[in-house]
Amino acid sequence: MSFLATFEKLSWDQTLASIAEKGATDVERALARPTGGVTLDDFQALISPAAVPYLEAMAQRSHQQTVERFGYTQQLFSPVYLSNVCSNVCTYCGFSALNRIPRKILSDEEIALELEAVKALGMDHVLFVTGEANRMVGVPYLKKAFKIARERFSSISMEVQPLDQADYEELMSAGLSAVLVYQETYHRDSYAEVHLRGMKKNFEYRLETPDRLGRAGMKKIGLGALYGLDDWRADSFFVAAHLRYMEKTYWRSRYSLSFPRIRPHEGDFSPKTVLTDRDLIQIICAYRLLSPEVELSLSTRESASFRNHAYKLGITTMSAGSKTNPGGYAAEKDSLKQFEISDERSPGELAAMLHQGGYEAVWKDWDASYDKVPEVMEAMA
Ligand code: SF4
């Protein structure tokens, strides 16, 4: 049993038709739901064209629900790219295997230097990112990196190739607490058009990755779509359906969503569709109304002015000072980046902006020492 069974019952075209049919009454019904009461049908209304005149009301409600659950805080993080080696060919990505670029896998010493540089930015947790190259940057390499990170950070997250459940369990024993894995697009044909070679061609294996994470008992699981590959409304709905399934099935895990829009990179790819700033605000608010608990993350792909405006409308997590190339914080200032970032402010500058807006920056996610609490309580009983 996995999300695949739910997914097979959903139709892309019927989803699009259903969203297009939504009217003002549907949007008002969705907005009148109590916190936590928004259905997937309501979600379709909230991302429909009919909801555009209600954006202000959605934004106010989203802000209020976010503050009720998360307070006036934003969690900051800086991704650490361990490698730009990739076995896959994805037409929209600078790390794609066919791109003739210098490749790099950080050594133990380079990882330590990189982590020291990120620690110096104020971070107390780390997100490791790699291309997808399981033979060269697989579980043994990741475990070595985690060992170096555990000496410096209170929690470790990763965004790497999808793995088997046993691999996730092994990495959790090595200190991993969160995994981000985006489906990119839930439209099978569009997925096949841009994922030409390598393990990532396997749509089903990727789609079932969150299930394997849930079964492994991962503390936090990140979902999302890459906007620009197909219709943003349909992809947003499929992410919402995936989230709802995961929250019900693996209710012990926490969840996060990201909304990456395709950015310029090495190579030449034109997005099939464009997600405007207004569309993105609509998606953020709709997700918040759907799920009061989900963490919503806004990356440095977005401009400083957009992030300054959007962070109060449902966002809980922001990347800051990101370098999207291996060794980018400590040494390799100019080596190839996965994509260009837009908001170049340092974490300190972002924290100061948040402080001015009445928000506090949070520099850690989970503390591995909390894992021992059940054992301690048991011993005390
Ligand atoms: S998107 Fe990921 S899997 Fe595809 S080429 Fe880039 S790094 Fe590799």
PDB file of all heavy atoms in Angstrom, residues 81 83-99 103 129-133 159-162 184 194-195 197 200 206 226 338, ligand 1:
ATOM      1  N   TYR A  81      26.029  21.931  -0.267  1.00  0.00           N
ATOM      2  CA  TYR A  81      26.152  21.011  -1.408  1.00  0.00           C
ATOM      3  C   TYR A  81      27.427  20.190  -1.254  1.00  0.00           C
ATOM      4  O   TYR A  81      28.526  20.744  -1.236  1.00  0.00           O
ATOM      5  CB  TYR A  81      26.169  21.813  -2.716  1.00  0.00           C
ATOM      6  CG  TYR A  81      24.785  22.218  -3.191  1.00  0.00           C
ATOM      7  CD1 TYR A  81      24.019  23.125  -2.474  1.00  0.00           C
ATOM      8  CD2 TYR A  81      24.243  21.672  -4.357  1.00  0.00           C
ATOM      9  CE1 TYR A  81      22.740  23.483  -2.904  1.00  0.00           C
ATOM     10  CE2 TYR A  81      22.964  22.032  -4.793  1.00  0.00           C
ATOM     11  CZ  TYR A  81      22.222  22.932  -4.061  1.00  0.00           C
ATOM     12  OH  TYR A  81      20.962  23.281  -4.477  1.00  0.00           O
ATOM     13  N   SER A  83      28.187  17.585  -3.352  1.00  0.00           N
ATOM     14  CA  SER A  83      28.666  17.087  -4.642  1.00  0.00           C
ATOM     15  C   SER A  83      27.774  17.612  -5.760  1.00  0.00           C
ATOM     16  O   SER A  83      26.579  17.817  -5.564  1.00  0.00           O
ATOM     17  CB  SER A  83      28.612  15.554  -4.606  1.00  0.00           C
ATOM     18  OG  SER A  83      28.529  15.037  -5.909  1.00  0.00           O
ATOM     19  N   ASN A  84      28.379  17.814  -6.936  1.00  0.00           N
ATOM     20  CA  ASN A  84      27.561  18.153  -8.111  1.00  0.00           C
ATOM     21  C   ASN A  84      27.610  17.020  -9.152  1.00  0.00           C
ATOM     22  O   ASN A  84      27.285  17.228 -10.315  1.00  0.00           O
ATOM     23  CB  ASN A  84      27.987  19.490  -8.731  1.00  0.00           C
ATOM     24  CG  ASN A  84      29.414  19.456  -9.253  1.00  0.00           C
ATOM     25  OD1 ASN A  84      30.083  18.443  -9.175  1.00  0.00           O
ATOM     26  ND2 ASN A  84      29.874  20.577  -9.786  1.00  0.00           N
ATOM     27  N   VAL A  85      28.054  15.836  -8.705  1.00  0.00           N
ATOM     28  CA  VAL A  85      28.076  14.674  -9.610  1.00  0.00           C
ATOM     29  C   VAL A  85      26.667  14.112  -9.688  1.00  0.00           C
ATOM     30  O   VAL A  85      25.999  13.964  -8.660  1.00  0.00           O
ATOM     31  CB  VAL A  85      29.044  13.595  -9.074  1.00  0.00           C
ATOM     32  CG1 VAL A  85      28.983  12.345  -9.935  1.00  0.00           C
ATOM     33  CG2 VAL A  85      30.451  14.141  -9.030  1.00  0.00           C
ATOM     34  N   CYS A  86      26.208  13.817 -10.894  1.00  0.00           N
ATOM     35  CA  CYS A  86      24.853  13.283 -11.038  1.00  0.00           C
ATOM     36  C   CYS A  86      24.801  12.278 -12.186  1.00  0.00           C
ATOM     37  O   CYS A  86      25.383  12.505 -13.241  1.00  0.00           O
ATOM     38  CB  CYS A  86      23.851  14.415 -11.278  1.00  0.00           C
ATOM     39  SG  CYS A  86      22.166  13.806 -11.164  1.00  0.00           S
ATOM     40  N   SER A  87      24.089  11.173 -11.948  1.00  0.00           N
ATOM     41  CA  SER A  87      23.955  10.135 -12.983  1.00  0.00           C
ATOM     42  C   SER A  87      22.722  10.353 -13.847  1.00  0.00           C
ATOM     43  O   SER A  87      22.496   9.593 -14.782  1.00  0.00           O
ATOM     44  CB  SER A  87      23.822   8.756 -12.348  1.00  0.00           C
ATOM     45  OG  SER A  87      24.573   8.643 -11.208  1.00  0.00           O
ATOM     46  N   ASN A  88      21.906  11.315 -13.493  1.00  0.00           N
ATOM     47  CA  ASN A  88      20.649  11.526 -14.218  1.00  0.00           C
ATOM     48  C   ASN A  88      20.779  12.626 -15.266  1.00  0.00           C
ATOM     49  O   ASN A  88      21.624  13.525 -15.147  1.00  0.00           O
ATOM     50  CB  ASN A  88      19.533  11.933 -13.252  1.00  0.00           C
ATOM     51  CG  ASN A  88      19.198  10.825 -12.283  1.00  0.00           C
ATOM     52  OD1 ASN A  88      19.225   9.650 -12.650  1.00  0.00           O
ATOM     53  ND2 ASN A  88      18.904  11.192 -11.047  1.00  0.00           N
ATOM     54  N   VAL A  89      19.896  12.550 -16.254  1.00  0.00           N
ATOM     55  CA  VAL A  89      19.774  13.651 -17.206  1.00  0.00           C
ATOM     56  C   VAL A  89      18.399  14.285 -17.007  1.00  0.00           C
ATOM     57  O   VAL A  89      17.368  13.699 -17.327  1.00  0.00           O
ATOM     58  CB  VAL A  89      19.939  13.154 -18.653  1.00  0.00           C
ATOM     59  CG1 VAL A  89      19.664  14.297 -19.630  1.00  0.00           C
ATOM     60  CG2 VAL A  89      21.345  12.611 -18.871  1.00  0.00           C
ATOM     61  N   CYS A  90      18.426  15.473 -16.400  1.00  0.00           N
ATOM     62  CA  CYS A  90      17.202  16.265 -16.218  1.00  0.00           C
ATOM     63  C   CYS A  90      17.430  17.545 -17.011  1.00  0.00           C
ATOM     64  O   CYS A  90      18.412  18.262 -16.764  1.00  0.00           O
ATOM     65  CB  CYS A  90      16.977  16.598 -14.757  1.00  0.00           C
ATOM     66  SG  CYS A  90      16.994  15.159 -13.671  1.00  0.00           S
ATOM     67  N   THR A  91      16.548  17.833 -17.939  1.00  0.00           N
ATOM     68  CA  THR A  91      16.840  18.891 -18.906  1.00  0.00           C
ATOM     69  C   THR A  91      16.865  20.296 -18.292  1.00  0.00           C
ATOM     70  O   THR A  91      17.363  21.222 -18.907  1.00  0.00           O
ATOM     71  CB  THR A  91      15.795  18.874 -20.038  1.00  0.00           C
ATOM     72  OG1 THR A  91      14.507  18.985 -19.446  1.00  0.00           O
ATOM     73  CG2 THR A  91      15.876  17.608 -20.859  1.00  0.00           C
ATOM     74  N   TYR A  92      16.331  20.432 -17.069  1.00  0.00           N
ATOM     75  CA  TYR A  92      16.203  21.764 -16.466  1.00  0.00           C
ATOM     76  C   TYR A  92      17.308  22.068 -15.457  1.00  0.00           C
ATOM     77  O   TYR A  92      17.284  23.111 -14.820  1.00  0.00           O
ATOM     78  CB  TYR A  92      14.834  21.873 -15.751  1.00  0.00           C
ATOM     79  CG  TYR A  92      14.571  20.718 -14.809  1.00  0.00           C
ATOM     80  CD1 TYR A  92      15.096  20.712 -13.526  1.00  0.00           C
ATOM     81  CD2 TYR A  92      13.832  19.616 -15.214  1.00  0.00           C
ATOM     82  CE1 TYR A  92      14.893  19.652 -12.667  1.00  0.00           C
ATOM     83  CE2 TYR A  92      13.610  18.543 -14.369  1.00  0.00           C
ATOM     84  CZ  TYR A  92      14.144  18.574 -13.091  1.00  0.00           C
ATOM     85  OH  TYR A  92      13.949  17.511 -12.248  1.00  0.00           O
ATOM     86  N   CYS A  93      18.304  21.158 -15.303  1.00  0.00           N
ATOM     87  CA  CYS A  93      19.228  21.300 -14.171  1.00  0.00           C
ATOM     88  C   CYS A  93      20.677  21.425 -14.612  1.00  0.00           C
ATOM     89  O   CYS A  93      21.142  20.689 -15.489  1.00  0.00           O
ATOM     90  CB  CYS A  93      19.065  20.095 -13.248  1.00  0.00           C
ATOM     91  SG  CYS A  93      20.225  20.113 -11.863  1.00  0.00           S
ATOM     92  N   GLY A  94      21.414  22.307 -13.950  1.00  0.00           N
ATOM     93  CA  GLY A  94      22.816  22.524 -14.262  1.00  0.00           C
ATOM     94  C   GLY A  94      23.708  21.338 -13.946  1.00  0.00           C
ATOM     95  O   GLY A  94      24.812  21.229 -14.486  1.00  0.00           O
ATOM     96  N   PHE A  95      23.287  20.445 -13.041  1.00  0.00           N
ATOM     97  CA  PHE A  95      24.100  19.284 -12.673  1.00  0.00           C
ATOM     98  C   PHE A  95      23.863  18.093 -13.600  1.00  0.00           C
ATOM     99  O   PHE A  95      24.483  17.038 -13.434  1.00  0.00           O
ATOM    100  CB  PHE A  95      23.780  18.831 -11.244  1.00  0.00           C
ATOM    101  CG  PHE A  95      24.263  19.762 -10.157  1.00  0.00           C
ATOM    102  CD1 PHE A  95      23.976  19.498  -8.819  1.00  0.00           C
ATOM    103  CD2 PHE A  95      24.999  20.892 -10.444  1.00  0.00           C
ATOM    104  CE1 PHE A  95      24.411  20.344  -7.810  1.00  0.00           C
ATOM    105  CE2 PHE A  95      25.439  21.750  -9.444  1.00  0.00           C
ATOM    106  CZ  PHE A  95      25.139  21.471  -8.115  1.00  0.00           C
ATOM    107  N   SER A  96      22.972  18.221 -14.562  1.00  0.00           N
ATOM    108  CA  SER A  96      22.598  17.119 -15.447  1.00  0.00           C
ATOM    109  C   SER A  96      23.839  16.410 -16.006  1.00  0.00           C
ATOM    110  O   SER A  96      24.819  17.061 -16.396  1.00  0.00           O
ATOM    111  CB  SER A  96      21.750  17.689 -16.587  1.00  0.00           C
ATOM    112  OG  SER A  96      21.232  16.651 -17.373  1.00  0.00           O
ATOM    113  N   ALA A  97      23.788  15.063 -16.071  1.00  0.00           N
ATOM    114  CA  ALA A  97      24.982  14.263 -16.399  1.00  0.00           C
ATOM    115  C   ALA A  97      25.609  14.651 -17.731  1.00  0.00           C
ATOM    116  O   ALA A  97      26.822  14.523 -17.899  1.00  0.00           O
ATOM    117  CB  ALA A  97      24.620  12.779 -16.394  1.00  0.00           C
ATOM    118  N   LEU A  98      24.832  15.112 -18.693  1.00  0.00           N
ATOM    119  CA  LEU A  98      25.387  15.429 -20.012  1.00  0.00           C
ATOM    120  C   LEU A  98      26.024  16.821 -20.075  1.00  0.00           C
ATOM    121  O   LEU A  98      26.673  17.157 -21.068  1.00  0.00           O
ATOM    122  CB  LEU A  98      24.303  15.310 -21.090  1.00  0.00           C
ATOM    123  CG  LEU A  98      23.778  13.885 -21.354  1.00  0.00           C
ATOM    124  CD1 LEU A  98      22.779  13.879 -22.496  1.00  0.00           C
ATOM    125  CD2 LEU A  98      24.928  12.926 -21.658  1.00  0.00           C
ATOM    126  N   ASN A  99      25.820  17.638 -19.049  1.00  0.00           N
ATOM    127  CA  ASN A  99      26.456  18.959 -19.045  1.00  0.00           C
ATOM    128  C   ASN A  99      27.957  18.797 -18.799  1.00  0.00           C
ATOM    129  O   ASN A  99      28.366  18.157 -17.828  1.00  0.00           O
ATOM    130  CB  ASN A  99      25.855  19.860 -17.951  1.00  0.00           C
ATOM    131  CG  ASN A  99      24.483  20.380 -18.334  1.00  0.00           C
ATOM    132  OD1 ASN A  99      24.032  20.181 -19.461  1.00  0.00           O
ATOM    133  ND2 ASN A  99      23.807  21.030 -17.405  1.00  0.00           N
ATOM    134  N   ARG A 103      33.289  18.519 -12.189  1.00  0.00           N
ATOM    135  CA  ARG A 103      32.519  17.820 -11.151  1.00  0.00           C
ATOM    136  C   ARG A 103      33.341  17.757  -9.869  1.00  0.00           C
ATOM    137  O   ARG A 103      34.579  17.676  -9.922  1.00  0.00           O
ATOM    138  CB  ARG A 103      32.174  16.396 -11.600  1.00  0.00           C
ATOM    139  CG  ARG A 103      31.375  16.337 -12.886  1.00  0.00           C
ATOM    140  CD  ARG A 103      29.930  16.769 -12.686  1.00  0.00           C
ATOM    141  NE  ARG A 103      29.216  16.822 -13.969  1.00  0.00           N
ATOM    142  CZ  ARG A 103      27.908  16.981 -14.063  1.00  0.00           C
ATOM    143  NH1 ARG A 103      27.160  17.130 -13.000  1.00  0.00           N
ATOM    144  NH2 ARG A 103      27.339  17.044 -15.247  1.00  0.00           N
ATOM    145  N   VAL A 129      22.911  18.629   0.468  1.00  0.00           N
ATOM    146  CA  VAL A 129      22.343  18.452  -0.869  1.00  0.00           C
ATOM    147  C   VAL A 129      23.419  17.827  -1.753  1.00  0.00           C
ATOM    148  O   VAL A 129      24.603  18.168  -1.637  1.00  0.00           O
ATOM    149  CB  VAL A 129      21.898  19.809  -1.474  1.00  0.00           C
ATOM    150  CG1 VAL A 129      21.206  19.599  -2.816  1.00  0.00           C
ATOM    151  CG2 VAL A 129      20.965  20.549  -0.524  1.00  0.00           C
ATOM    152  N   THR A 130      22.999  16.920  -2.630  1.00  0.00           N
ATOM    153  CA  THR A 130      23.928  16.358  -3.622  1.00  0.00           C
ATOM    154  C   THR A 130      23.187  16.210  -4.945  1.00  0.00           C
ATOM    155  O   THR A 130      21.958  16.277  -4.987  1.00  0.00           O
ATOM    156  CB  THR A 130      24.423  14.937  -3.223  1.00  0.00           C
ATOM    157  OG1 THR A 130      23.314  14.025  -3.298  1.00  0.00           O
ATOM    158  CG2 THR A 130      25.017  14.897  -1.841  1.00  0.00           C
ATOM    159  N   GLY A 131      23.942  15.961  -6.029  1.00  0.00           N
ATOM    160  CA  GLY A 131      23.321  15.425  -7.227  1.00  0.00           C
ATOM    161  C   GLY A 131      22.931  13.980  -6.902  1.00  0.00           C
ATOM    162  O   GLY A 131      23.143  13.507  -5.780  1.00  0.00           O
ATOM    163  N   GLU A 132      22.363  13.272  -7.858  1.00  0.00           N
ATOM    164  CA  GLU A 132      21.945  11.898  -7.577  1.00  0.00           C
ATOM    165  C   GLU A 132      22.966  10.936  -8.186  1.00  0.00           C
ATOM    166  O   GLU A 132      22.965  10.713  -9.398  1.00  0.00           O
ATOM    167  CB  GLU A 132      20.543  11.650  -8.132  1.00  0.00           C
ATOM    168  CG  GLU A 132      19.514  12.584  -7.505  1.00  0.00           C
ATOM    169  CD  GLU A 132      18.073  12.158  -7.737  1.00  0.00           C
ATOM    170  OE1 GLU A 132      17.853  11.084  -8.328  1.00  0.00           O
ATOM    171  OE2 GLU A 132      17.178  12.910  -7.307  1.00  0.00           O
ATOM    172  N   ALA A 133      23.874  10.444  -7.350  1.00  0.00           N
ATOM    173  CA  ALA A 133      24.932   9.542  -7.827  1.00  0.00           C
ATOM    174  C   ALA A 133      25.170   8.501  -6.742  1.00  0.00           C
ATOM    175  O   ALA A 133      26.088   8.616  -5.937  1.00  0.00           O
ATOM    176  CB  ALA A 133      26.199  10.332  -8.118  1.00  0.00           C
ATOM    177  N   GLU A 159      18.799  16.370   1.069  1.00  0.00           N
ATOM    178  CA  GLU A 159      18.042  16.372  -0.184  1.00  0.00           C
ATOM    179  C   GLU A 159      18.960  15.709  -1.215  1.00  0.00           C
ATOM    180  O   GLU A 159      19.816  16.362  -1.813  1.00  0.00           O
ATOM    181  CB  GLU A 159      17.707  17.818  -0.571  1.00  0.00           C
ATOM    182  CG  GLU A 159      16.812  17.925  -1.776  1.00  0.00           C
ATOM    183  CD  GLU A 159      16.508  19.380  -2.135  1.00  0.00           C
ATOM    184  OE1 GLU A 159      16.619  20.262  -1.252  1.00  0.00           O
ATOM    185  OE2 GLU A 159      16.190  19.616  -3.299  1.00  0.00           O
ATOM    186  N   VAL A 160      18.842  14.384  -1.334  1.00  0.00           N
ATOM    187  CA  VAL A 160      19.718  13.600  -2.218  1.00  0.00           C
ATOM    188  C   VAL A 160      18.853  12.627  -3.005  1.00  0.00           C
ATOM    189  O   VAL A 160      17.628  12.733  -2.985  1.00  0.00           O
ATOM    190  CB  VAL A 160      20.799  12.844  -1.389  1.00  0.00           C
ATOM    191  CG1 VAL A 160      21.528  13.788  -0.436  1.00  0.00           C
ATOM    192  CG2 VAL A 160      20.193  11.698  -0.596  1.00  0.00           C
ATOM    193  N   GLN A 161      19.469  11.644  -3.672  1.00  0.00           N
ATOM    194  CA  GLN A 161      18.696  10.678  -4.453  1.00  0.00           C
ATOM    195  C   GLN A 161      17.748   9.881  -3.549  1.00  0.00           C
ATOM    196  O   GLN A 161      18.078   9.609  -2.398  1.00  0.00           O
ATOM    197  CB  GLN A 161      19.634   9.705  -5.189  1.00  0.00           C
ATOM    198  CG  GLN A 161      20.458   8.797  -4.295  1.00  0.00           C
ATOM    199  CD  GLN A 161      21.745   9.449  -3.825  1.00  0.00           C
ATOM    200  OE1 GLN A 161      21.896  10.661  -3.875  1.00  0.00           O
ATOM    201  NE2 GLN A 161      22.674   8.646  -3.353  1.00  0.00           N
ATOM    202  N   PRO A 162      16.566   9.501  -4.076  1.00  0.00           N
ATOM    203  CA  PRO A 162      15.678   8.630  -3.307  1.00  0.00           C
ATOM    204  C   PRO A 162      16.371   7.313  -2.967  1.00  0.00           C
ATOM    205  O   PRO A 162      17.151   6.792  -3.773  1.00  0.00           O
ATOM    206  CB  PRO A 162      14.498   8.387  -4.256  1.00  0.00           C
ATOM    207  CG  PRO A 162      14.498   9.543  -5.180  1.00  0.00           C
ATOM    208  CD  PRO A 162      15.949   9.891  -5.357  1.00  0.00           C
ATOM    209  N   GLU A 184       8.798  16.842  -8.513  1.00  0.00           N
ATOM    210  CA  GLU A 184       9.029  17.748  -9.662  1.00  0.00           C
ATOM    211  C   GLU A 184       7.710  18.025 -10.387  1.00  0.00           C
ATOM    212  O   GLU A 184       7.234  19.136 -10.368  1.00  0.00           O
ATOM    213  CB  GLU A 184      10.104  17.226 -10.636  1.00  0.00           C
ATOM    214  CG  GLU A 184      11.368  16.642  -9.985  1.00  0.00           C
ATOM    215  CD  GLU A 184      12.163  17.586  -9.113  1.00  0.00           C
ATOM    216  OE1 GLU A 184      11.654  18.658  -8.749  1.00  0.00           O
ATOM    217  OE2 GLU A 184      13.317  17.247  -8.766  1.00  0.00           O
ATOM    218  N   VAL A 194      11.240  15.480 -19.352  1.00  0.00           N
ATOM    219  CA  VAL A 194      12.404  16.206 -18.812  1.00  0.00           C
ATOM    220  C   VAL A 194      13.376  15.311 -18.054  1.00  0.00           C
ATOM    221  O   VAL A 194      14.496  15.721 -17.753  1.00  0.00           O
ATOM    222  CB  VAL A 194      11.974  17.381 -17.902  1.00  0.00           C
ATOM    223  CG1 VAL A 194      11.276  18.454 -18.717  1.00  0.00           C
ATOM    224  CG2 VAL A 194      11.104  16.915 -16.749  1.00  0.00           C
ATOM    225  N   HIS A 195      12.958  14.079 -17.715  1.00  0.00           N
ATOM    226  CA  HIS A 195      13.848  13.148 -17.009  1.00  0.00           C
ATOM    227  C   HIS A 195      14.218  12.045 -17.992  1.00  0.00           C
ATOM    228  O   HIS A 195      13.505  11.060 -18.137  1.00  0.00           O
ATOM    229  CB  HIS A 195      13.163  12.600 -15.755  1.00  0.00           C
ATOM    230  CG  HIS A 195      12.797  13.689 -14.794  1.00  0.00           C
ATOM    231  ND1 HIS A 195      11.505  14.067 -14.509  1.00  0.00           N
ATOM    232  CD2 HIS A 195      13.588  14.539 -14.090  1.00  0.00           C
ATOM    233  CE1 HIS A 195      11.508  15.076 -13.656  1.00  0.00           C
ATOM    234  NE2 HIS A 195      12.761  15.383 -13.389  1.00  0.00           N
ATOM    235  N   ARG A 197      17.237  10.247 -18.474  1.00  0.00           N
ATOM    236  CA  ARG A 197      18.174   9.158 -18.227  1.00  0.00           C
ATOM    237  C   ARG A 197      18.440   8.996 -16.737  1.00  0.00           C
ATOM    238  O   ARG A 197      18.381   9.977 -15.996  1.00  0.00           O
ATOM    239  CB  ARG A 197      19.499   9.520 -18.889  1.00  0.00           C
ATOM    240  CG  ARG A 197      19.924   8.479 -19.903  1.00  0.00           C
ATOM    241  CD  ARG A 197      21.406   8.424 -19.859  1.00  0.00           C
ATOM    242  NE  ARG A 197      21.965   8.763 -21.132  1.00  0.00           N
ATOM    243  CZ  ARG A 197      23.243   9.082 -21.312  1.00  0.00           C
ATOM    244  NH1 ARG A 197      24.069   9.207 -20.379  1.00  0.00           N
ATOM    245  NH2 ARG A 197      23.719   9.329 -22.457  1.00  0.00           N
ATOM    246  N   LYS A 200      16.226   8.564 -12.016  1.00  0.00           N
ATOM    247  CA  LYS A 200      15.107   9.490 -11.831  1.00  0.00           C
ATOM    248  C   LYS A 200      14.016   9.309 -12.878  1.00  0.00           C
ATOM    249  O   LYS A 200      12.911   9.821 -12.713  1.00  0.00           O
ATOM    250  CB  LYS A 200      15.636  10.933 -11.832  1.00  0.00           C
ATOM    251  CG  LYS A 200      14.674  11.918 -11.190  1.00  0.00           C
ATOM    252  CD  LYS A 200      15.347  13.242 -10.932  1.00  0.00           C
ATOM    253  CE  LYS A 200      14.389  14.264 -10.362  1.00  0.00           C
ATOM    254  NZ  LYS A 200      15.060  15.540 -10.101  1.00  0.00           N
ATOM    255  N   ARG A 206      10.143   7.229  -7.395  1.00  0.00           N
ATOM    256  CA  ARG A 206      10.221   8.551  -6.755  1.00  0.00           C
ATOM    257  C   ARG A 206       8.923   8.864  -5.997  1.00  0.00           C
ATOM    258  O   ARG A 206       8.948   9.345  -4.877  1.00  0.00           O
ATOM    259  CB  ARG A 206      10.495   9.621  -7.816  1.00  0.00           C
ATOM    260  CG  ARG A 206      10.958  10.921  -7.218  1.00  0.00           C
ATOM    261  CD  ARG A 206      11.477  11.889  -8.256  1.00  0.00           C
ATOM    262  NE  ARG A 206      12.085  13.032  -7.604  1.00  0.00           N
ATOM    263  CZ  ARG A 206      13.376  13.121  -7.270  1.00  0.00           C
ATOM    264  NH1 ARG A 206      14.192  12.146  -7.540  1.00  0.00           N
ATOM    265  NH2 ARG A 206      13.843  14.206  -6.667  1.00  0.00           N
ATOM    266  N   LEU A 226       8.261  21.142  -8.771  1.00  0.00           N
ATOM    267  CA  LEU A 226       9.105  22.184  -9.378  1.00  0.00           C
ATOM    268  C   LEU A 226       8.236  22.939 -10.378  1.00  0.00           C
ATOM    269  O   LEU A 226       7.815  22.358 -11.391  1.00  0.00           O
ATOM    270  CB  LEU A 226      10.303  21.537 -10.072  1.00  0.00           C
ATOM    271  CG  LEU A 226      11.241  22.482 -10.827  1.00  0.00           C
ATOM    272  CD1 LEU A 226      11.884  23.495  -9.873  1.00  0.00           C
ATOM    273  CD2 LEU A 226      12.342  21.681 -11.528  1.00  0.00           C
ATOM    274  N   GLN A 338      24.131  24.881  -9.052  1.00  0.00           N
ATOM    275  CA  GLN A 338      22.985  24.160  -9.608  1.00  0.00           C
ATOM    276  C   GLN A 338      22.022  25.152 -10.264  1.00  0.00           C
ATOM    277  O   GLN A 338      21.463  24.897 -11.305  1.00  0.00           O
ATOM    278  CB  GLN A 338      22.270  23.360  -8.518  1.00  0.00           C
ATOM    279  CG  GLN A 338      21.205  22.439  -9.112  1.00  0.00           C
ATOM    280  CD  GLN A 338      20.440  21.670  -8.060  1.00  0.00           C
ATOM    281  OE1 GLN A 338      20.236  22.166  -6.964  1.00  0.00           O
ATOM    282  NE2 GLN A 338      20.004  20.475  -8.410  1.00  0.00           N
TER     283      GLN A 338
HETATM  284  S1  SF4 B   1      17.654  17.731 -10.800  1.00  0.00           S
HETATM  285 FE1  SF4 B   1      18.768  16.394  -9.407  1.00  0.00          FE
HETATM  286  S2  SF4 B   1      18.776  14.430 -10.453  1.00  0.00           S
HETATM  287 FE2  SF4 B   1      18.301  15.935 -12.027  1.00  0.00          FE
HETATM  288  S3  SF4 B   1      20.263  16.497 -12.927  1.00  0.00           S
HETATM  289 FE3  SF4 B   1      19.861  17.950 -11.261  1.00  0.00          FE
HETATM  290  S4  SF4 B   1      20.894  17.094  -9.485  1.00  0.00           S
HETATM  291 FE4  SF4 B   1      20.700  15.456 -11.009  1.00  0.00          FE
END
